[in-house]
Amino acid sequence: MWGDKRYHSLDHELKSIYGGKVYRLSLSSFCGCPNRDGSIGRGGCIFCSAGGSGDFAGKPFEDIDVQMGKARELVASKLGRKPAGYIAYFQSFSNTYGDPERLKELFLRAMEPEDVLILSVATRPDCLPDEILDMLSELARIKPVWVELGLQTVDEKVAEFINRGYKLPVFEEGVRRLKEAGIGVVVHVIAGLPFEDQEATLRTIRYLAGFETGGRHIDGIKIHLLHVLEGTELCRLYREGRAHIKEYTLPEYADLIADILEILPADIVVHRLTGDAPKRLLVAPLWSGDKKRVLNTITRRLSERNVIQGSGYSKV
């Protein structure tokens, strides 16, 4: 169904559309975040690094053409050949938190090259005013546009503890408005958040599995393992023994991913099964820094358990 995968991977989805491997170019839009500057809160989410979860993105205020050139070079050094195309991925901070006209010009420049196939914009659901939605909708008539939203959890008490800065209805309204504007929606979820065990993470997945707008699910999901990064509020709490986090072993995390995929509808594209963290900043869990080992362990566990995405999904 999905090549050699047991789940609806982004890699398979893009290859089926574009005929080959598509790579992200991690970029910066020079935007800040209302959860850092006092508009909504201070300090941001407690797990968020100084780079605004965009530690691999371009440097702030670096010209977009320079950023894209460096990002292309990084892909080429890893790949050794030309890919089928690229995703212009504005990753760090809240990339719709700014002047719509400036952002439109920036996004258009990123989309202009023929081999840039998709625009992906990471932001918050409370940073989607009408002017921004109109602008993104206009861009979506040129090339596909995705907006990535950090839900992380449906538990409001946990959301408050991690300083997410918005309530669940804000997320729901943001998704509805994005879908009505013809924009793809990718949702981020974090496993291992403070006060959350395996079942708590699965509650968030069940919520997303049952959440529809216009009769459709969200378009994609990114599943992350909570990383404790140097310099974050989470790291301070962790070292003080007050982080209240479950530290998964690699086998436990592989089993959790298997449980997630079983109940996740088959039409939702899986963009990630684990996140990336700069090794220079990673405090815990250290095993997560070996991404190849993590993905290989997950693959083996899916095979051992004969897991197929959506096999346990039931629409009620």
Side-chain angles (χ1 to χ4, degrees):
M1 185 183 298
W2 302 300
D4 60 347
K5 300 289 187 181
R6 292 178 170 270
Y7 59 94
H8 192 168
S9 71
L10 177 64
D11 182 60
H12 180 272
E13 179 77 3
L14 294 178
K15 283 179 178 176
S16 67
I17 296 171
Y18 299 108
K21 191 84 172 176
V22 178
Y23 281 81
R24 292 182 182 87
L25 302 176
S26 293
L27 308 169
S28 175
S29 69
F30 331 131
C31 289
C33 178
N35 200 23
R36 288 175 177 252
D37 66 11
S39 299
I40 293 171
R42 295 284 185 185
C45 298
I46 65 172
F47 51 78
C48 196
S49 68
S53 295
D55 298 284
F56 300 103
K59 295 180 180 178
F61 305 110
E62 196 169 47
D63 183 82
I64 190 62
D65 294 328
V66 174
Q67 288 190 55
M68 292 182 70
K70 290 181 178 180
R72 287 172 184 270
E73 290 174 4
L74 183 60
V75 170
S77 69
K78 294 179 179 179
L79 189 59
R81 55 184 171 82
K82 186 176 176 59
Y86 300 97
I87 301 167
Y89 178 30
F90 287 88
Q91 181 177 13
S92 50
F93 299 105
S94 302
N95 292 281
T96 59
Y97 186 53
D99 175 60
E101 287 303 316
R102 182 187 74 81
L103 290 172
K104 179 181 179 180
E105 180 181 356
L106 183 68
F107 294 158
L108 278 171
R109 285 178 62 191
M111 296 169 70
E112 184 178 10
E114 186 177 349
D115 59 359
V116 172
L117 307 174
I118 298 162
L119 172 70
S120 186
V121 179
T123 191
R124 297 169 56 88
D126 50 9
C127 292
L128 296 170
D130 290 342
E131 298 84 357
I132 288 290
L133 279 174
D134 290 344
M135 179 266 290
L136 292 174
S137 181
E138 182 179 341
L139 296 182
R141 291 192 285 271
I142 301 172
K143 291 180 180 179
V145 173
W146 302 337
V147 166
E148 304 195 14
L149 301 176
L151 172 64
Q152 321 308 4
T153 180
V154 293
D155 189 305
E156 296 286 25
K157 290 184 179 179
V158 174
E160 184 176 355
F161 185 84
I162 65 174
N163 198 35
R164 187 178 68 189
Y166 70 83
K167 300 290 188 181
L168 190 59
V170 176
F171 167 80
E172 295 173 342
E173 178 67 4
V175 174
R176 182 189 65 78
R177 294 174 68 231
L178 285 166
K179 298 293 284 183
E180 287 178 353
I183 298 163
V185 178
V186 181
V187 177
H188 293 233
V189 172
I190 296 179
L193 286 169
F195 302 102
E196 291 205 336
D197 57 11
Q198 179 175 343
E199 180 54 35
T201 298
L202 292 176
R203 280 198 294 272
T204 295
I205 300 299
R206 292 189 189 100
Y207 162 82
L208 289 173
F211 179 68
E212 295 184 4
T213 181
R216 293 186 58 195
H217 293 115
I218 60 171
D219 298 277
I221 188 170
K222 285 187 175 180
I223 306 162
H224 302 265
L225 172 66
L226 180 68
H227 291 132
V228 180
L229 301 180
E230 195 69 59
T232 62
E233 175 66 8
L234 178 64
C235 185
R236 183 182 69 81
L237 294 172
Y238 178 79
R239 287 184 168 139
E240 293 175 358
R242 298 192 296 120
H244 303 287
I245 61 175
K246 171 179 171 53
E247 293 191 60
Y248 286 96
T249 65
L250 177 52
E252 287 174 334
Y253 185 68
D255 267 320
L256 175 60
I257 293 297
D259 292 339
I260 287 171
L261 292 177
E262 281 184 327
I263 62 176
L264 191 70
D267 60 331
I268 296 178
V269 179
V270 179
H271 289 231
R272 281 186 181 275
L273 293 177
T274 185
D276 292 308
K279 292 184 180 180
R280 71 185 188 280
L281 299 179
L282 183 62
V283 174
L286 292 178
W287 57 260
S288 67
D290 188 347
K291 188 174 181 180
K292 183 176 181 180
R293 177 183 171 222
V294 174
L295 292 176
N296 286 341
T297 301
I298 291 172
T299 298
R300 285 196 303 272
R301 196 67 184 117
L302 296 180
S303 179
E304 290 165 357
R305 288 181 47 177
N306 195 28
V307 168
I308 302 295
Q309 181 179 338
S311 60
Y313 167 67
S314 176
K315 184 173 182 178
V316 295

